[in-house]
Amino acid sequence: MTRTVIESKTKTVTIGFDEPFCVIGERINPTGRKKLAAELELGDFSTVERDALEQVACGAMVLDINSGAVFSNKMAEDPRYADNNFVEPPLMRQLIERVSAVVDVPLCIDSSVPGALEAGLAAAEGRPLLNSVTGEEERMELVLPLVKKYNVPVVAISNDDTGISEDPDVRFAVAKKIVERAADFGIPAHDIVVDPLVMPIGAMATAGHQVFTLVRRLRDELGVNTTCGASNISFGLPHRHGVNAAFLPMAIAAGMTSAIMNPVRPVEMEAIRAANLLMNHDPNGTEWIKFSRVLEAVEGGASFAEASAAAAEASAGRGGRRRRRSA
Amino acid sequence: MTRTVIESKTKTVTIGFDEPFCVIGERINPTGRKKLAAELELGDFSTVERDALEQVACGAMVLDINSGAVFSNKMAEDPRYADNNFVEPPLMRQLIERVSAVVDVPLCIDSSVPGALEAGLAAAEGRPLLNSVTGEEERMELVLPLVKKYNVPVVAISNDDTGISEDPDVRFAVAKKIVERAADFGIPAHDIVVDPLVMPIGAMATAGHQVFTLVRRLRDELGVNTTCGASNISFGLPHRHGVNAAFLPMAIAAGMTSAIMNPVRPVEMEAIRAANLLMNHDPNGTEWIKFSRVLEAVEGGASFAEASAAAAEASAGRGGRRRRRSA
């Protein structure tokens, strides 16, 4: 059974076929969050810290840390800030330090800049997940040596120098190529978490089918764990959360083992908790019953983050924290 | 591709691997609805008529008609009423006449009494679905001749004279036996809709897995459509609708093609509509977009039944009714 082990200072999370679905919180990402980017430019990490706490309270098991900020004001004063190779490495280090100071969960170091990946690997405690390598030749030659050197698992995205193929067979072939190239570096398949790429169902009617089929093949033929940017599936549609909340259980039934997503959304998290129960990954329904109390509090008017935090605290008081560490 | 064709006077519904999931409305069933049974005893069909209209408005494509009423007062006056063979046949006829007068959708004739099944077959227009045969010898010998005589499809439940097995392989074998026995009567596999029996996940942790695996085998090895009493899965759990709403998409992804369920529940119906979209059974997302307007109305304070009825009316005004007929 394939097991991808990720660690923080004291906690271990295993992505695996026989494990509860691994929710990787996507919120700490200044790409497309202008307000957050502006705060970071001013050295203000309060949103990052709040997002870290909220996501973990809501059920994120791993936090993605993306350093892709654009510092427009600094750029005007100092042209070096126009280069992400200059901006991201120190920012990644700071983000990891700030997040690690408030939560103790494994991190997913996310950048398109190799220097930021290495800075993150040096700064993170435990065994972080690296995000990401693709099938592009240059990217593989830059990232796979880092994966080997730091002995960490890596997200492998199924696009290559020809771009993102709409043909799922091509995307499978790209994933296979990455797994094989990684093997050349001495990296085992269980340390590769493949993202088969989720297309918007509104633009491509076969997008759901493609993912379900790809996930099953990746699992059966390559023996790898899988992840995805889950909310892509509903891009452009009304009532996106409803589409996401059906997509996630279907992907889990097909064998998907993790997703990079917003955990501060009760609808999607409810779908995942229920899917864990239905996959027999929630012994005695303990987690479902605990979660149903959070849903009750939400129905009573609490925000999902508040209700989740209160439940997490109550659980820690009953020894939940200790149980979690040993998980 | 397996296609089970069910018809009302003017409408055709096809249960099939390449069709939207077939929702069979379960509400018209006096078993366990004491108030409804009491009304029927007094000859009051107003709840039945309202349930018929509501269920169809909410998206039921077929209506189950169960005649299993107990007429306690009449029984006290006339001992013949203690016998369901006496009560059910005329009641089934009346139920079908009343329902057919208010809605034009195919019916599912549901009784444990063979006389009620035959009364229903004689009364129903078009090509109803018969519910049900089991693997019990006596039941097969009573029901399969009716299926052949009236040339209708039938629900086959995977239990036999030894009861309901907890072993999914035994339930598969029972389904296979029914399909083979039906073939002896000249009934094709595409007219058998197998119910693999859904156990409560709270009582049996493997219940989800069992159903997903069984549905896939029934489809791949026997080539039959499938159905289930979907809400059984969540029996005894808190926040049942959340469990149901994950179970249905997972079962659909595994190949389940219909369910007998309560369609007057927005959570479950949203999950099914989204799953249809994700299975590529909703061209251009037309149905999802239409449904999202119903959800908006529900968010605005309308009941799901009201909002659905309003949307159905608006759609009929735009020629929706005609499109539906030709489906």
Short mmCIF file of all heavy atoms in Angstrom, two decimals, chain B residues 237-300:
data_model
loop_
_atom_site.label_atom_id
_atom_site.label_comp_id
_atom_site.label_asym_id
_atom_site.label_seq_id
_atom_site.Cartn_x
_atom_site.Cartn_y
_atom_site.Cartn_z
N LEU B 237 -27.34 7.64 12.15
CA LEU B 237 -26.26 8.62 12.28
C LEU B 237 -26.79 10.04 12.39
O LEU B 237 -27.87 10.35 11.88
CB LEU B 237 -25.35 8.55 11.05
CG LEU B 237 -24.46 7.31 10.93
CD1 LEU B 237 -23.74 7.31 9.60
CD2 LEU B 237 -23.45 7.26 12.08
N PRO B 238 -26.03 10.93 13.03
CA PRO B 238 -26.40 12.34 13.00
C PRO B 238 -26.11 12.91 11.61
O PRO B 238 -25.28 12.38 10.88
CB PRO B 238 -25.48 12.98 14.05
CG PRO B 238 -24.29 12.08 14.10
CD PRO B 238 -24.78 10.69 13.80
N HIS B 239 -26.81 13.99 11.26
CA HIS B 239 -26.63 14.65 9.97
C HIS B 239 -26.67 13.66 8.81
O HIS B 239 -25.77 13.61 7.97
CB HIS B 239 -25.34 15.48 9.95
CG HIS B 239 -25.52 16.79 10.66
ND1 HIS B 239 -25.93 17.93 10.02
CD2 HIS B 239 -25.42 17.11 11.96
CE1 HIS B 239 -26.05 18.91 10.91
NE2 HIS B 239 -25.75 18.44 12.09
N ARG B 240 -27.76 12.90 8.79
CA ARG B 240 -27.91 11.85 7.78
C ARG B 240 -27.82 12.38 6.36
O ARG B 240 -27.29 11.71 5.47
CB ARG B 240 -29.28 11.17 7.93
CG ARG B 240 -29.39 10.33 9.16
CD ARG B 240 -30.71 9.56 9.18
NE ARG B 240 -30.78 8.59 8.09
CZ ARG B 240 -31.73 7.67 7.98
NH1 ARG B 240 -32.69 7.62 8.89
NH2 ARG B 240 -31.74 6.83 6.98
N HIS B 241 -28.38 13.57 6.13
CA HIS B 241 -28.41 14.07 4.75
C HIS B 241 -27.01 14.28 4.19
O HIS B 241 -26.76 14.09 3.01
CB HIS B 241 -29.23 15.35 4.66
CG HIS B 241 -30.66 15.12 5.05
ND1 HIS B 241 -31.46 14.24 4.36
CD2 HIS B 241 -31.40 15.58 6.07
CE1 HIS B 241 -32.65 14.19 4.93
NE2 HIS B 241 -32.64 14.99 5.97
N GLY B 242 -26.08 14.65 5.08
CA GLY B 242 -24.70 14.83 4.64
C GLY B 242 -24.08 13.51 4.20
O GLY B 242 -23.34 13.46 3.22
N VAL B 243 -24.40 12.44 4.91
CA VAL B 243 -23.89 11.12 4.53
C VAL B 243 -24.53 10.68 3.21
O VAL B 243 -23.85 10.23 2.28
CB VAL B 243 -24.15 10.09 5.65
CG1 VAL B 243 -23.66 8.70 5.23
CG2 VAL B 243 -23.47 10.52 6.95
N ASN B 244 -25.85 10.85 3.12
CA ASN B 244 -26.54 10.48 1.88
C ASN B 244 -25.99 11.25 0.68
O ASN B 244 -25.83 10.71 -0.41
CB ASN B 244 -28.04 10.81 1.98
CG ASN B 244 -28.74 10.04 3.08
OD1 ASN B 244 -28.21 9.05 3.60
ND2 ASN B 244 -29.94 10.48 3.45
N ALA B 245 -25.70 12.54 0.90
CA ALA B 245 -25.29 13.41 -0.20
C ALA B 245 -23.87 13.10 -0.67
O ALA B 245 -23.48 13.51 -1.76
CB ALA B 245 -25.39 14.88 0.22
N ALA B 246 -23.08 12.40 0.14
CA ALA B 246 -21.77 11.91 -0.35
C ALA B 246 -21.94 10.52 -0.94
O ALA B 246 -21.32 10.17 -1.94
CB ALA B 246 -20.75 11.88 0.79
N PHE B 247 -22.82 9.72 -0.32
CA PHE B 247 -23.02 8.34 -0.78
C PHE B 247 -23.54 8.30 -2.22
O PHE B 247 -23.05 7.52 -3.05
CB PHE B 247 -24.00 7.62 0.14
CG PHE B 247 -24.42 6.26 -0.34
CD1 PHE B 247 -23.53 5.20 -0.30
CD2 PHE B 247 -25.69 6.05 -0.86
CE1 PHE B 247 -23.90 3.94 -0.77
CE2 PHE B 247 -26.07 4.80 -1.33
CZ PHE B 247 -25.17 3.74 -1.29
N LEU B 248 -24.51 9.13 -2.52
CA LEU B 248 -25.13 9.07 -3.85
C LEU B 248 -24.12 9.34 -4.97
O LEU B 248 -24.01 8.53 -5.90
CB LEU B 248 -26.34 10.00 -3.92
CG LEU B 248 -27.59 9.46 -3.20
CD1 LEU B 248 -28.59 10.57 -2.88
CD2 LEU B 248 -28.27 8.37 -4.04
N PRO B 249 -23.33 10.44 -4.91
CA PRO B 249 -22.33 10.64 -5.98
C PRO B 249 -21.31 9.50 -6.05
O PRO B 249 -20.90 9.10 -7.15
CB PRO B 249 -21.64 11.96 -5.59
CG PRO B 249 -22.64 12.67 -4.75
CD PRO B 249 -23.40 11.61 -4.03
N MET B 250 -20.92 8.96 -4.90
CA MET B 250 -19.95 7.85 -4.92
C MET B 250 -20.57 6.61 -5.59
O MET B 250 -19.91 5.94 -6.38
CB MET B 250 -19.51 7.53 -3.49
CG MET B 250 -18.68 8.65 -2.86
SD MET B 250 -18.39 8.40 -1.08
CE MET B 250 -16.80 7.58 -1.09
N ALA B 251 -21.83 6.33 -5.26
CA ALA B 251 -22.52 5.19 -5.88
C ALA B 251 -22.69 5.43 -7.38
O ALA B 251 -22.52 4.52 -8.20
CB ALA B 251 -23.87 4.96 -5.21
N ILE B 252 -23.00 6.67 -7.75
CA ILE B 252 -23.16 7.01 -9.17
C ILE B 252 -21.82 6.84 -9.90
O ILE B 252 -21.76 6.29 -11.00
CB ILE B 252 -23.73 8.44 -9.32
CG1 ILE B 252 -25.18 8.47 -8.83
CG2 ILE B 252 -23.62 8.93 -10.76
CD1 ILE B 252 -25.79 9.87 -8.70
N ALA B 253 -20.74 7.27 -9.27
CA ALA B 253 -19.42 7.11 -9.88
C ALA B 253 -19.10 5.63 -10.05
O ALA B 253 -18.42 5.24 -11.01
CB ALA B 253 -18.35 7.79 -9.04
N ALA B 254 -19.60 4.79 -9.15
CA ALA B 254 -19.35 3.35 -9.26
C ALA B 254 -20.25 2.71 -10.31
O ALA B 254 -20.01 1.58 -10.71
CB ALA B 254 -19.56 2.67 -7.90
N GLY B 255 -21.30 3.43 -10.74
CA GLY B 255 -22.15 2.90 -11.79
C GLY B 255 -23.61 2.69 -11.41
O GLY B 255 -24.40 2.19 -12.21
N MET B 256 -24.00 3.08 -10.21
CA MET B 256 -25.41 2.96 -9.80
C MET B 256 -26.25 3.86 -10.73
O MET B 256 -25.87 4.98 -11.03
CB MET B 256 -25.55 3.42 -8.34
CG MET B 256 -26.97 3.38 -7.80
SD MET B 256 -27.40 1.82 -6.99
CE MET B 256 -26.56 1.98 -5.43
N THR B 257 -27.41 3.33 -11.16
CA THR B 257 -28.18 4.08 -12.15
C THR B 257 -29.53 4.59 -11.66
O THR B 257 -30.18 5.36 -12.37
CB THR B 257 -28.38 3.23 -13.43
OG1 THR B 257 -28.77 1.91 -13.06
CG2 THR B 257 -27.08 3.14 -14.23
N SER B 258 -29.95 4.18 -10.46
CA SER B 258 -31.20 4.74 -9.92
C SER B 258 -31.24 4.54 -8.41
O SER B 258 -30.45 3.77 -7.86
CB SER B 258 -32.43 4.07 -10.55
OG SER B 258 -32.57 2.74 -10.10
N ALA B 259 -32.15 5.25 -7.75
CA ALA B 259 -32.36 5.02 -6.32
C ALA B 259 -33.81 5.30 -5.99
O ALA B 259 -34.45 6.15 -6.62
CB ALA B 259 -31.46 5.92 -5.48
N ILE B 260 -34.31 4.57 -5.02
CA ILE B 260 -35.64 4.84 -4.47
C ILE B 260 -35.40 5.71 -3.25
O ILE B 260 -34.74 5.28 -2.29
CB ILE B 260 -36.36 3.53 -4.13
CG1 ILE B 260 -36.46 2.67 -5.40
CG2 ILE B 260 -37.74 3.81 -3.53
CD1 ILE B 260 -37.08 1.30 -5.19
N MET B 261 -35.88 6.94 -3.29
CA MET B 261 -35.46 7.92 -2.28
C MET B 261 -36.47 9.04 -2.18
O MET B 261 -37.40 9.16 -2.97
CB MET B 261 -34.10 8.49 -2.68
CG MET B 261 -34.08 9.07 -4.10
SD MET B 261 -32.48 9.78 -4.56
CE MET B 261 -32.59 11.36 -3.70
N ASN B 262 -36.25 9.90 -1.18
CA ASN B 262 -37.10 11.06 -0.99
C ASN B 262 -36.56 12.22 -1.82
O ASN B 262 -35.52 12.79 -1.47
CB ASN B 262 -37.14 11.43 0.49
CG ASN B 262 -38.08 12.59 0.76
OD1 ASN B 262 -38.62 13.18 -0.18
ND2 ASN B 262 -38.28 12.91 2.03
N PRO B 263 -37.26 12.61 -2.89
CA PRO B 263 -36.74 13.69 -3.74
C PRO B 263 -37.04 15.08 -3.20
O PRO B 263 -36.60 16.07 -3.78
CB PRO B 263 -37.45 13.45 -5.07
CG PRO B 263 -38.74 12.81 -4.69
CD PRO B 263 -38.52 12.06 -3.41
N VAL B 264 -37.80 15.16 -2.11
CA VAL B 264 -38.20 16.47 -1.59
C VAL B 264 -37.13 16.97 -0.60
O VAL B 264 -37.42 17.64 0.38
CB VAL B 264 -39.61 16.39 -0.97
CG1 VAL B 264 -40.17 17.78 -0.67
CG2 VAL B 264 -40.58 15.69 -1.93
N ARG B 265 -35.88 16.60 -0.84
CA ARG B 265 -34.75 16.96 0.01
C ARG B 265 -33.70 17.62 -0.87
O ARG B 265 -33.06 16.96 -1.69
CB ARG B 265 -34.14 15.69 0.61
CG ARG B 265 -35.00 15.03 1.63
CD ARG B 265 -35.00 15.83 2.89
NE ARG B 265 -35.76 15.18 3.95
CZ ARG B 265 -35.92 15.72 5.13
NH1 ARG B 265 -35.40 16.91 5.41
NH2 ARG B 265 -36.61 15.09 6.05
N PRO B 266 -33.48 18.93 -0.69
CA PRO B 266 -32.57 19.62 -1.62
C PRO B 266 -31.14 19.10 -1.54
O PRO B 266 -30.46 19.07 -2.56
CB PRO B 266 -32.65 21.09 -1.19
CG PRO B 266 -33.28 21.09 0.16
CD PRO B 266 -34.10 19.83 0.28
N VAL B 267 -30.68 18.68 -0.37
CA VAL B 267 -29.27 18.29 -0.24
C VAL B 267 -28.96 17.09 -1.14
O VAL B 267 -28.00 17.09 -1.91
CB VAL B 267 -28.92 17.97 1.23
CG1 VAL B 267 -27.46 17.59 1.36
CG2 VAL B 267 -29.22 19.16 2.13
N GLU B 268 -29.80 16.06 -1.03
CA GLU B 268 -29.58 14.86 -1.84
C GLU B 268 -29.77 15.17 -3.33
O GLU B 268 -29.02 14.68 -4.17
CB GLU B 268 -30.53 13.74 -1.42
CG GLU B 268 -30.13 13.02 -0.14
CD GLU B 268 -30.73 13.64 1.11
OE1 GLU B 268 -31.09 14.84 1.08
OE2 GLU B 268 -30.85 12.94 2.12
N MET B 269 -30.79 15.96 -3.65
CA MET B 269 -31.06 16.24 -5.06
C MET B 269 -29.93 17.09 -5.68
O MET B 269 -29.58 16.91 -6.84
CB MET B 269 -32.42 16.93 -5.22
CG MET B 269 -33.59 16.01 -4.92
SD MET B 269 -33.61 14.48 -5.91
CE MET B 269 -34.23 15.09 -7.48
N GLU B 270 -29.36 17.98 -4.88
CA GLU B 270 -28.23 18.77 -5.35
C GLU B 270 -27.05 17.85 -5.66
O GLU B 270 -26.38 18.00 -6.69
CB GLU B 270 -27.83 19.80 -4.27
CG GLU B 270 -26.69 20.69 -4.69
CD GLU B 270 -26.37 21.76 -3.64
OE1 GLU B 270 -27.06 21.79 -2.59
OE2 GLU B 270 -25.45 22.55 -3.88
N ALA B 271 -26.82 16.87 -4.78
CA ALA B 271 -25.70 15.94 -4.99
C ALA B 271 -25.91 15.14 -6.28
O ALA B 271 -24.97 14.92 -7.04
CB ALA B 271 -25.58 15.00 -3.79
N ILE B 272 -27.16 14.74 -6.53
CA ILE B 272 -27.44 13.94 -7.73
C ILE B 272 -27.30 14.79 -8.99
O ILE B 272 -26.71 14.37 -9.99
CB ILE B 272 -28.85 13.31 -7.63
CG1 ILE B 272 -28.82 12.19 -6.61
CG2 ILE B 272 -29.33 12.81 -8.99
CD1 ILE B 272 -30.18 11.62 -6.28
N ARG B 273 -27.81 16.03 -8.94
CA ARG B 273 -27.69 16.91 -10.12
C ARG B 273 -26.22 17.18 -10.43
O ARG B 273 -25.81 17.23 -11.59
CB ARG B 273 -28.39 18.24 -9.85
CG ARG B 273 -29.86 18.12 -9.49
CD ARG B 273 -30.72 18.08 -10.71
NE ARG B 273 -32.13 18.08 -10.34
CZ ARG B 273 -33.11 18.04 -11.21
NH1 ARG B 273 -32.86 17.99 -12.51
NH2 ARG B 273 -34.36 18.02 -10.81
N ALA B 274 -25.44 17.41 -9.38
CA ALA B 274 -24.01 17.67 -9.59
C ALA B 274 -23.32 16.43 -10.13
O ALA B 274 -22.48 16.51 -11.03
CB ALA B 274 -23.36 18.12 -8.28
N ALA B 275 -23.71 15.25 -9.60
CA ALA B 275 -23.10 14.01 -10.09
C ALA B 275 -23.45 13.77 -11.56
O ALA B 275 -22.61 13.33 -12.35
CB ALA B 275 -23.55 12.83 -9.23
N ASN B 276 -24.69 14.07 -11.95
CA ASN B 276 -25.06 13.95 -13.37
C ASN B 276 -24.14 14.81 -14.23
O ASN B 276 -23.67 14.37 -15.28
CB ASN B 276 -26.51 14.40 -13.59
CG ASN B 276 -27.53 13.36 -13.16
OD1 ASN B 276 -27.20 12.18 -13.04
ND2 ASN B 276 -28.75 13.79 -12.93
N LEU B 277 -23.91 16.03 -13.78
CA LEU B 277 -23.02 16.94 -14.52
C LEU B 277 -21.63 16.34 -14.62
O LEU B 277 -21.01 16.32 -15.69
CB LEU B 277 -23.00 18.29 -13.77
CG LEU B 277 -22.07 19.38 -14.29
CD1 LEU B 277 -22.51 19.85 -15.67
CD2 LEU B 277 -22.04 20.57 -13.33
N LEU B 278 -21.13 15.82 -13.50
CA LEU B 278 -19.75 15.31 -13.46
C LEU B 278 -19.60 14.00 -14.22
O LEU B 278 -18.49 13.64 -14.63
CB LEU B 278 -19.31 15.15 -12.00
CG LEU B 278 -19.15 16.49 -11.26
CD1 LEU B 278 -19.15 16.27 -9.75
CD2 LEU B 278 -17.87 17.19 -11.70
N MET B 279 -20.71 13.27 -14.43
CA MET B 279 -20.67 12.04 -15.21
C MET B 279 -20.89 12.32 -16.70
O MET B 279 -21.01 11.39 -17.49
CB MET B 279 -21.76 11.07 -14.72
CG MET B 279 -21.56 10.53 -13.32
SD MET B 279 -20.10 9.47 -13.15
CE MET B 279 -20.70 7.94 -13.90
N ASN B 280 -21.00 13.58 -17.05
CA ASN B 280 -21.29 13.97 -18.44
C ASN B 280 -22.67 13.50 -18.89
O ASN B 280 -22.85 13.07 -20.02
CB ASN B 280 -20.17 13.46 -19.37
CG ASN B 280 -20.22 14.12 -20.75
OD1 ASN B 280 -20.92 15.11 -20.94
ND2 ASN B 280 -19.50 13.56 -21.70
N HIS B 281 -23.62 13.55 -17.94
CA HIS B 281 -25.01 13.21 -18.26
C HIS B 281 -25.91 14.44 -18.19
O HIS B 281 -27.11 14.32 -17.95
CB HIS B 281 -25.52 12.12 -17.30
CG HIS B 281 -24.81 10.81 -17.44
ND1 HIS B 281 -24.78 9.87 -16.46
CD2 HIS B 281 -24.09 10.29 -18.48
CE1 HIS B 281 -24.06 8.83 -16.87
NE2 HIS B 281 -23.63 9.07 -18.08
N ASP B 282 -25.30 15.61 -18.35
CA ASP B 282 -26.06 16.86 -18.32
C ASP B 282 -25.45 17.80 -19.36
O ASP B 282 -24.66 18.68 -19.03
CB ASP B 282 -25.99 17.47 -16.90
CG ASP B 282 -26.72 18.80 -16.79
OD1 ASP B 282 -27.37 19.21 -17.77
OD2 ASP B 282 -26.62 19.43 -15.72
N PRO B 283 -25.83 17.58 -20.62
CA PRO B 283 -25.18 18.34 -21.70
C PRO B 283 -25.26 19.85 -21.47
O PRO B 283 -26.33 20.38 -21.13
CB PRO B 283 -25.98 17.93 -22.94
CG PRO B 283 -26.63 16.63 -22.59
CD PRO B 283 -26.87 16.69 -21.11
N ASN B 284 -24.12 20.49 -21.59
CA ASN B 284 -24.00 21.95 -21.41
C ASN B 284 -24.37 22.42 -20.00
O ASN B 284 -24.55 23.61 -19.78
CB ASN B 284 -24.86 22.70 -22.44
CG ASN B 284 -24.51 22.29 -23.86
OD1 ASN B 284 -23.33 22.23 -24.21
ND2 ASN B 284 -25.51 21.96 -24.65
N GLY B 285 -24.51 21.51 -19.07
CA GLY B 285 -24.85 21.90 -17.71
C GLY B 285 -26.23 22.54 -17.61
O GLY B 285 -26.54 23.22 -16.63
N THR B 286 -27.07 22.29 -18.61
CA THR B 286 -28.40 22.94 -18.64
C THR B 286 -29.20 22.65 -17.38
O THR B 286 -29.78 23.56 -16.78
CB THR B 286 -29.19 22.43 -19.87
OG1 THR B 286 -28.34 22.52 -21.01
CG2 THR B 286 -30.44 23.25 -20.08
N GLU B 287 -29.22 21.38 -16.99
CA GLU B 287 -30.03 21.02 -15.82
C GLU B 287 -29.43 21.60 -14.54
O GLU B 287 -30.14 22.03 -13.65
CB GLU B 287 -30.13 19.49 -15.70
CG GLU B 287 -30.93 18.83 -16.81
CD GLU B 287 -32.38 19.30 -16.86
OE1 GLU B 287 -32.97 19.56 -15.80
OE2 GLU B 287 -32.92 19.44 -17.98
N TRP B 288 -28.10 21.62 -14.46
CA TRP B 288 -27.45 22.18 -13.27
C TRP B 288 -27.77 23.66 -13.13
O TRP B 288 -28.08 24.15 -12.03
CB TRP B 288 -25.93 21.96 -13.30
CG TRP B 288 -25.28 22.59 -12.10
CD1 TRP B 288 -24.59 23.78 -12.06
CD2 TRP B 288 -25.33 22.13 -10.74
NE1 TRP B 288 -24.21 24.06 -10.77
CE2 TRP B 288 -24.64 23.07 -9.94
CE3 TRP B 288 -25.89 21.00 -10.13
CZ2 TRP B 288 -24.49 22.91 -8.56
CZ3 TRP B 288 -25.74 20.85 -8.76
CH2 TRP B 288 -25.05 21.80 -7.99
N ILE B 289 -27.70 24.37 -14.23
CA ILE B 289 -27.93 25.81 -14.18
C ILE B 289 -29.40 26.09 -13.80
O ILE B 289 -29.68 26.96 -12.98
CB ILE B 289 -27.53 26.46 -15.53
CG1 ILE B 289 -25.99 26.41 -15.66
CG2 ILE B 289 -28.04 27.90 -15.62
CD1 ILE B 289 -25.46 26.64 -17.06
N LYS B 290 -30.31 25.27 -14.37
CA LYS B 290 -31.73 25.40 -14.01
C LYS B 290 -31.90 25.13 -12.50
O LYS B 290 -32.58 25.87 -11.80
CB LYS B 290 -32.55 24.36 -14.81
CG LYS B 290 -33.72 24.94 -15.56
CD LYS B 290 -34.62 23.82 -16.08
CE LYS B 290 -34.23 23.35 -17.46
NZ LYS B 290 -35.07 22.21 -17.92
N PHE B 291 -31.26 24.08 -12.05
CA PHE B 291 -31.39 23.69 -10.64
C PHE B 291 -30.78 24.75 -9.72
O PHE B 291 -31.29 24.99 -8.61
CB PHE B 291 -30.71 22.33 -10.41
CG PHE B 291 -30.91 21.79 -9.03
CD1 PHE B 291 -32.14 21.28 -8.64
CD2 PHE B 291 -29.88 21.79 -8.10
CE1 PHE B 291 -32.34 20.78 -7.37
CE2 PHE B 291 -30.06 21.28 -6.83
CZ PHE B 291 -31.30 20.78 -6.46
N SER B 292 -29.73 25.40 -10.17
CA SER B 292 -29.09 26.41 -9.31
C SER B 292 -30.05 27.58 -9.05
O SER B 292 -29.97 28.22 -8.01
CB SER B 292 -27.77 26.89 -9.94
OG SER B 292 -28.03 27.74 -11.03
N ARG B 293 -30.98 27.81 -9.99
CA ARG B 293 -31.99 28.85 -9.74
C ARG B 293 -32.96 28.41 -8.65
O ARG B 293 -33.41 29.23 -7.85
CB ARG B 293 -32.76 29.16 -11.04
CG ARG B 293 -31.84 29.81 -12.07
CD ARG B 293 -32.58 30.51 -13.20
NE ARG B 293 -31.65 30.69 -14.31
CZ ARG B 293 -31.66 29.98 -15.44
NH1 ARG B 293 -32.59 29.07 -15.66
NH2 ARG B 293 -30.75 30.20 -16.37
N VAL B 294 -33.26 27.14 -8.61
CA VAL B 294 -34.11 26.61 -7.53
C VAL B 294 -33.38 26.79 -6.19
O VAL B 294 -33.97 27.25 -5.21
CB VAL B 294 -34.44 25.12 -7.77
CG1 VAL B 294 -35.18 24.53 -6.57
CG2 VAL B 294 -35.26 24.95 -9.04
N LEU B 295 -32.09 26.47 -6.18
CA LEU B 295 -31.32 26.62 -4.93
C LEU B 295 -31.30 28.07 -4.48
O LEU B 295 -31.38 28.35 -3.28
CB LEU B 295 -29.89 26.12 -5.13
CG LEU B 295 -29.71 24.61 -5.33
CD1 LEU B 295 -28.25 24.27 -5.57
CD2 LEU B 295 -30.23 23.82 -4.13
N GLU B 296 -31.21 28.98 -5.44
CA GLU B 296 -31.24 30.41 -5.09
C GLU B 296 -32.57 30.77 -4.43
O GLU B 296 -32.60 31.50 -3.44
CB GLU B 296 -31.07 31.26 -6.35
CG GLU B 296 -29.62 31.62 -6.64
CD GLU B 296 -29.43 32.09 -8.07
OE1 GLU B 296 -30.28 32.85 -8.58
OE2 GLU B 296 -28.43 31.66 -8.68
N ALA B 297 -33.65 30.25 -4.99
CA ALA B 297 -34.97 30.53 -4.41
C ALA B 297 -35.07 29.95 -3.01
O ALA B 297 -35.66 30.55 -2.11
CB ALA B 297 -36.07 29.97 -5.31
N VAL B 298 -34.48 28.77 -2.81
CA VAL B 298 -34.49 28.14 -1.48
C VAL B 298 -33.69 29.01 -0.51
O VAL B 298 -34.11 29.24 0.63
CB VAL B 298 -33.93 26.70 -1.54
CG1 VAL B 298 -33.71 26.14 -0.14
CG2 VAL B 298 -34.87 25.79 -2.32
N GLU B 299 -32.54 29.51 -0.97
CA GLU B 299 -31.75 30.40 -0.12
C GLU B 299 -32.53 31.67 0.21
O GLU B 299 -32.37 32.26 1.27
CB GLU B 299 -30.43 30.77 -0.81
CG GLU B 299 -29.40 29.67 -0.67
CD GLU B 299 -28.24 29.79 -1.66
OE1 GLU B 299 -28.07 30.88 -2.25
OE2 GLU B 299 -27.54 28.79 -1.84
N GLY B 300 -33.41 32.07 -0.72
CA GLY B 300 -34.23 33.26 -0.51
C GLY B 300 -35.42 33.00 0.40
O GLY B 300 -36.21 33.91 0.66
#
